[in-house]
Amino acid sequence: MAEAPRLTESASAVFAVLAGAGSATRPQLASLAGLSKPTVSSAVAELESARLAAHSGTASGVTGRSAAVYGLGPAAGAVLAVDLGPALTRVRGCALDGTLLAQATGTRDEAADVVREALAALPAGAPLRTVVVAVGDVTAREKEGARMRPATAKAGPVFDAMAVALPPGVPVHLENNVNCAALAELHEGAARGRRTFGYLRIGVGIGLGIVVGGEVLRGANGAAGELARLPYPWDDGREPRHEALEEYIGARSLLRRAAEAWLDEDGPCPRTAEQLFTRAGEGRAVARAVIDRHAVDVGRLAAAVTAVLDPGLIVLGGSTGADPQILPGVRAELARLSWPTEVVSSKVGDLGTVVGAARLAVTRGVQTVTETAGAKD
């Protein structure tokens, strides 16, 4: 990885503002960074010299005068976001202003090849600043000098297989996939304009992304929102089992319940959750009953979330959670058991995790360029 040049504090501040804005004139940079115009002019010259900023055009002001417009330069580099999903691997390469530069998708087993494909599509010579990998697992806080890995065996093997495709020396940061999707909902989805909410993902597994004050709550062990660990069942004569709640609410059990209730006259039994929801949408009574019961179960889980967090808003995501057919049932059960809480369906869909991971990667990438600020002051 190319070393980021050492910047003065003012140049660092201007670079961060320019990355966030995408493009700006020097007066705009001065306003956004809270710096004087002479300081910004000096900072822009420093960034241009380091090829971290470049003149990208002109803009006419209200007085008719033209002002130079600046954007990120070729040395600013790029970042990579990887979503190691349960079935698919999705990868996005972005510039530090968030511009999409490359994307690739493949199966979980093709993770390394998908990463190589995205890397090959990045602009030649652009330094790779950082990589964020979203995994369906707990991610522990980073320790000095220690390589990050998923905390359990769930995502470890596929992460190791993917890691061989990454260039040496590039910082790799792990984040929980549900947390990434929650960030996507916050900035680009159903929770835009809301600073506190819960993103409840229901699919093959279950999980909760907790956003408080615009920040993801990760917890002391990086395990905040691991709903699979809620004790279940919790009843006389029955001992809670490890991750039994996830087993009960997850898509596999949903399909098993559908198979147990299915009648020959209802036609072929659905083999996927998507097929089950399609049958319900067509008015098949058995499918509708199974989906309605699933909505009640999700509503009860949402009630547990509101009892602890009182988030005001719950966004439903995941392969079954995001389907609008369960929304009325979830709302009704939550209203029966808890205080008023808005419930909406995800707007970012299957791409939420990689979109959120890319946003994190951009933030990390800008930090790699600016973290040496002050070294020249």
Side-chain angles (χ1 to χ4, degrees), residues 79-361:
V79 297
L80 204 67
V82 184
D83 170 18
L84 294 179
L88 296 177
T89 296
R90 293 183 173 92
V91 183
R92 283 193 169 195
C94 296
L96 296 195
D97 61 2
T99 301
L100 181 64
L101 301 174
Q103 57 185 336
T105 302
T107 68
R108 185 177 174 90
D109 294 336
E110 296 170 335
D113 292 334
V114 175
V115 168
R116 292 189 185 99
E117 180 183 343
L119 286 171
L122 294 177
L128 186 63
R129 297 299 182 189
T130 194
V131 178
V132 168
V133 182
V135 296
D137 201 352
V138 174
T139 58
R141 294 184 184 277
E142 298 175 65
K143 297 179 180 179
E144 191 68 30
R147 177 191 178 208
M148 285 196 77
R149 288 191 77 255
T152 73
K154 278 185 179 180
V158 68
F159 172 78
D160 291 338
M162 177 277 305
V164 301
L166 296 176
V170 178
V172 178
H173 307 281
L174 269 64
E175 183 56 88
N176 178 266
N177 57 354
V178 180
N179 287 345
C180 288
L183 284 173
E185 296 290 353
L186 172 66
H187 294 287
E188 304 177 37
R192 289 186 69 176
R194 305 291 285 265
R195 300 281 291 169
T196 298
F197 69 96
Y199 169 76
L200 183 57
R201 173 175 283 183
I202 309 293
V204 174
I206 60 175
L208 176 69
I210 305 167
V211 176
V212 178
E215 300 290 335
V216 170
L217 180 65
R218 293 178 172 84
N221 297 295
E226 287 294 312
L227 298 180
R229 298 299 180 92
L230 284 174
Y232 179 86
W234 200 353
D235 198 1
D236 292 342
R238 295 195 295 174
E239 287 290 324
R241 304 189 315 276
H242 182 72
E243 297 187 350
L245 183 60
E246 182 171 76
E247 178 185 334
Y248 173 74
I249 294 185
R252 294 186 183 92
S253 290
L254 177 65
L255 290 172
R256 175 182 54 75
R257 287 191 285 274
E260 291 171 351
W262 209 257
L263 303 174
D264 291 341
E265 54 264 35
D266 290 319
C269 182
R271 296 182 176 275
T272 66
E274 183 180 8
Q275 291 175 357
L276 177 62
F277 277 92
T278 298
R279 302 285 196 280
E282 293 169 349
R284 304 289 180 93
V286 173
R288 184 69 262 166
V290 172
I291 294 303
D292 287 346
R293 175 61 209 216
H294 187 58
V296 170
D297 290 333
V298 174
R300 291 174 179 175
L301 183 57
V305 170
T306 61
V308 176
L309 297 177
D310 187 19
L313 170 68
I314 290 180
V315 179
L316 295 178
S319 57
T320 65
D323 194 292
Q325 292 184 76
I326 77 165
L327 194 57
V330 174
R331 286 172 170 168
E333 187 67 1
L334 178 57
R336 185 180 76 84
L337 294 173
S338 192
W339 39 81
T341 302
E342 185 180 358
V343 184
V344 298
S345 298
S346 166
K347 288 187 177 180
V348 296
D350 294 341
L351 294 178
T353 295
V354 75
V355 168
R359 180 171 287 274
L360 277 176

